[in-house]
DNA sequence: ATGAAAGCGCTAACAT
DNA sequence: ATGTTAGCGCTTTCAT
């Protein structure tokens, strides 16, 4: 492995001059530069970033921590982060926790160790206390799914309002018996449920049967079964994720419902599955790419300018009306 | 930021002794160790991995390079890599290329730079030549989807044989007019197609209508439409991915077919979607976790013991018979 | 059991 | 325009 010293010797210059060429700084004569380039070529030299990083005390790496890559919602969010990071010379890497706090701690330690410059959390599995003590010292942003009560910048939609809009859509179609499939322990689900209940309350409806899933198809199917069996009067279901909404459609069909004729279903996220299923799924869409992009922007500001006032960036959601919801007969 | 020097001063020892404690080496008296631990605590000291990495000339990081996280097939493969890596103190990070060769080069450069110890490629988008020159110098393994003619260890299934088995399944059900939805430019698809044709040939069938998609639902739908319209005698379709197989089922239904009564469909990969759709999809399953685990094992051997003879590890596939294939009427 | 000191590869402040 | 040199934080060999 050739080092900068080898290149310098071969080109008959000092390491400083080689370094100048490597970093594209001015003030190197063309012919010196040529000699150095030739030496680099001949020696098949690659700069060792370990030395550079130690010297500069930064790596240009940022981590995105999420539970799993199997959730297709994240794909576009991450793309927004990657492209925005790349535009400012940061390399984005994805770290999966599988909801294991020890794995998450291990990745945060990479930032403590200075092997990465900062971290974006999507759906952290640590406590607010633990996260808070970390984020006081290191650059952190939360995106989309978040832990409340932690002083990080947050980029998300207004989940309460989105839940309100989902319920409004059903209410305006005439539905008065609406069930919800929520997810325990995620703050966004709580907010969506709160918004849904606020909309129902405006129509004088106090009763909102709720069952819980964990974002898997199976759990959504079970939750829907439970709702429909315990509350046969239900004419509509709002699920806080598309996967669970699709499962609810199937569960409804298996219980002799027809969607949307006797059962309307609305989901959340607008993933590919939502327009592939039959009937296609009405859902709430988030600006995924923009969420990721804004989160990365916030992180870079923090890395380069230090801790900021912790603003919360709220993005617009939209409702996408498809075949799975219809006016009550 | 406290450094090892600060800790050493505070504990009244040399940095060497602090280093010994940090790395759990023996030969430090209990009371010295206690003083050092106390100093670390008081100073809120975190070892700076940049210094350590430079000194050791390794980082403990390995990269998994894949086109996108939206392909749910990869999720379990990556889990196998992560767990096997973690068991030997390697941290796995996921890097997405979005099929952009420049992004892939950027990640490979992280290995050239020594910011990562090695790399596992799933579905590289570089040429065999470029990959070959890289893998001569650095630890690389290919897993699952691969570029042929590159001297890396390869962990995969026997795709030709799997294609053969898929076709055999249809042939044994009595099908004689079988179409294929393949994917251009991926070697595994070519092999599956070859295997399929070999099975057909054994039954004296020379004709194998083939259309091409790019693994998206939309492309699969279009390919199936084309096949069924140009070859109305087809009674079965083999798609080289589940997503395209699901699209083929839908396309068939939209062309007045009933699956499996008038059209059998078999897919590949056994992703969640394959048992969620109706009818559930017959498919070929790969041992995903094991593929990932074995690939990581190979990589670690390479990192720690240098380049090996480049073995190819071939894992067993299985056919999962569900509702989408049936005997011809 | 502990310390002194060299040095990993690079950058950047300072000098010329 | 180019060179000299200190030093980033850590590990490790060699002494003692």
């Amino acid at each position: 492995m050739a080092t900068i010293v080898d290149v310098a010797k071969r080109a008959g210059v000092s390491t400083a001059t080689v370094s100048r060429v490597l970093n594209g700084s001015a003030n190197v004569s063309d012919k010196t530069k040529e000699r150095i380039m030739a030496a680099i070529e001949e020696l098949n030299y690659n700069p060792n970033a370990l030395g550079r990083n130690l010297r500069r005390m930064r790596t240009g790496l940022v981590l995105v921590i999420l539970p799993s890559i199997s959730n297709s919602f994240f794909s576009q969010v991450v793309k927004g982060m990657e492209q925005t990071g790349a535009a400012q010379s940061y390399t984005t890497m994805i770290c999966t926790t599988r909801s294991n706090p020890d794995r998450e701690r291990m990745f945060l330690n990479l930032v403590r160790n200075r092997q990465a410059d900062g971290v974006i959390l999507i759906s952290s599995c640590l406590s607010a206390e633990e996260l808070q003590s970390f984020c006081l010292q290191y650059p952190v942003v939360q995106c989309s799914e978040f832990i409340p009560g932690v002083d990080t910048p947050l980029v998300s939609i207004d989940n309460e309002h989105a839940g309100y809009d989902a319920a409004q859509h059903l209410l305006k179609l005439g539905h008065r018996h609406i069930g919800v499939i929520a997810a325990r322990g995620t703050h966004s689900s709580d907010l969506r449920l709160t918004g849904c209940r606020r909309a129902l309350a405006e129509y004088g409806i106090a009763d909102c049967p709720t069952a819980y899933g964990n974002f898997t198809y199976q759990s959504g199917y079970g939750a829907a079964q439970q709702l429909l069996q315990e509350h046969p009067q239900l004419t509509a279901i709002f699920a806080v994720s598309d996967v669970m909404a699709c499962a609810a459609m199937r569960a409804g069909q298996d219980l002799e419902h027809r969607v949307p004729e006797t059962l309307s279903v609305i989901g959340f996220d607008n993933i590919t599955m939502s327009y592939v299923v039959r009937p296609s799924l009405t859902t709430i869409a988030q600006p995924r790419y923009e969420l990721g992009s804004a989160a990365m922007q916030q992180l870079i500001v923090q890395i380069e300018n230090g801790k900021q006032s912790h603003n919360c960036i709220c993005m617009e959601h939209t409702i996408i009306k498809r075949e799975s919801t219809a006016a009550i007969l």
Side-chain angles (χ1 to χ4, degrees), chain A:
Chain A
M1 274 290 122
T3 72
I4 200 171
V5 177
D6 302 321
V7 174
K9 277 185 190 149
R10 177 137 193 155
V13 297
S14 72
T15 60
T17 304
V18 177
S19 177
R20 287 186 186 103
V21 170
L22 290 176
N23 294 287
S25 99
N27 295 337
V28 181
S29 76
D30 281 355
K31 61 175 186 289
T32 309
K33 187 182 290 183
E34 270 172 39
R35 280 212 317 286
I36 291 173
M37 298 299 270
I40 287 173
E41 184 75 20
E42 288 158 19
L43 295 170
N44 186 28
Y45 167 72
N46 284 300
N48 183 323
L50 266 22
R52 166 185 297 180
N53 290 346
L54 175 60
R55 178 61 217 230
R56 297 211 241 222
M57 213 48 88
R58 54 179 296 278
T59 62
L61 259 41
V62 303
L63 308 183
V64 176
I65 298 185
L66 39 73
S68 156
I69 60 172
S70 69
N71 186 331
S72 82
F73 172 76
F74 297 143
S75 176
Q76 277 291 107
V77 177
V78 169
K79 182 173 175 182
M81 296 173 182
E82 288 171 339
Q83 298 205 160
T84 302
Q88 302 187 57
S89 301
Y90 285 90
T91 301
T92 304
M93 302 220 193
I94 301 164
C95 307
T96 70
T97 64
R98 291 193 300 279
S99 301
N100 176 342
D102 283 335
R103 276 183 66 82
E104 184 163 341
R105 289 186 191 105
M106 180 186 78
F107 290 122
L108 295 186
N109 267 333
L110 258 24
V111 178
R112 283 201 183 87
N113 286 337
R114 325 217 74 102
Q115 295 208 81
D117 296 341
V119 63
I120 300 178
L121 299 173
I122 305 180
S123 202
S124 167
C125 52
L126 299 181
S127 69
E129 295 70 34
E130 187 168 358
L131 234 40
Q132 179 67 22
S133 82
F134 179 81
C135 78
L136 290 175
Q137 293 191 67
Y138 305 96
V140 189
V141 171
Q142 294 195 87
C143 180
S144 188
E145 204 64 70
F146 64 101
I147 307 287
V150 184
D151 286 334
T152 64
L154 168 64
V155 180
S156 183
I157 59 163
D158 182 341
N159 282 287
E160 198 272 350
H161 198 252
Y164 177 88
D165 287 348
Q168 270 280 336
H169 172 64
L170 296 172
L171 288 162
K172 284 188 178 155
L173 288 171
H175 296 277
R176 293 298 177 268
H177 298 282
I178 298 172
V180 177
I181 301 177
R184 243 186 254 289
T186 66
H187 194 58
S188 70
S189 171
D190 295 345
L191 292 171
R192 291 168 198 175
L193 183 54
T194 304
C196 175
R197 286 185 170 148
R198 178 163 64 89
L200 295 182
E202 287 182 2
Y203 279 72
I205 304 168
D207 190 34
C208 178
T210 305
Y212 290 86
N214 62 3
F215 293 110
T216 64
Y217 190 90
Q218 286 78 359
S219 73
Y221 190 94
Q225 259 188 332
Q226 184 193 329
L227 277 179
L228 293 170
Q229 283 167 350
E230 293 179 5
H231 307 275
Q233 74 279 24
L234 289 183
T235 62
I237 289 180
F238 165 41
V240 299
S241 91
D242 282 347
V243 173
M244 295 199 291
C246 288
M249 288 206 287
R250 170 65 54 78
Q253 288 159 348
D254 289 349
L255 290 170
E256 309 303 327
H257 271 287
R258 285 189 309 144
V259 179
E261 291 82 355
T262 69
L263 181 69
S264 283
V265 176
I266 181 169
F268 211 107
D269 283 348
N270 193 35
I271 64 175
T272 302
M273 190 192 280
S274 71
Y275 55 83
V276 162
V277 288
R278 287 274 162 97
S280 60
L281 186 69
T282 295
T283 191
I284 305 280
Q286 307 187 43
R288 290 184 273 183
Y289 184 93
E290 289 74 16
L291 284 168
S293 177
M296 181 59 76
Q297 203 56 65
Q298 289 291 309
L299 184 69
I300 292 175
V301 169
Q302 244 186 96
I303 290 172
E304 299 186 350
N305 307 335
K307 289 279 165 191
Q308 310 294 304
S309 61
H310 285 137
N311 38 337
C312 167
I313 297 181
C314 187
M315 304 232 159
E316 297 295 317
H317 60 271
T318 51
I319 182 164
I320 299 187
K321 296 173 186 172
R322 297 207 187 92
E323 300 164 358
S324 68
T325 51
I328 201 162
L329 291 183

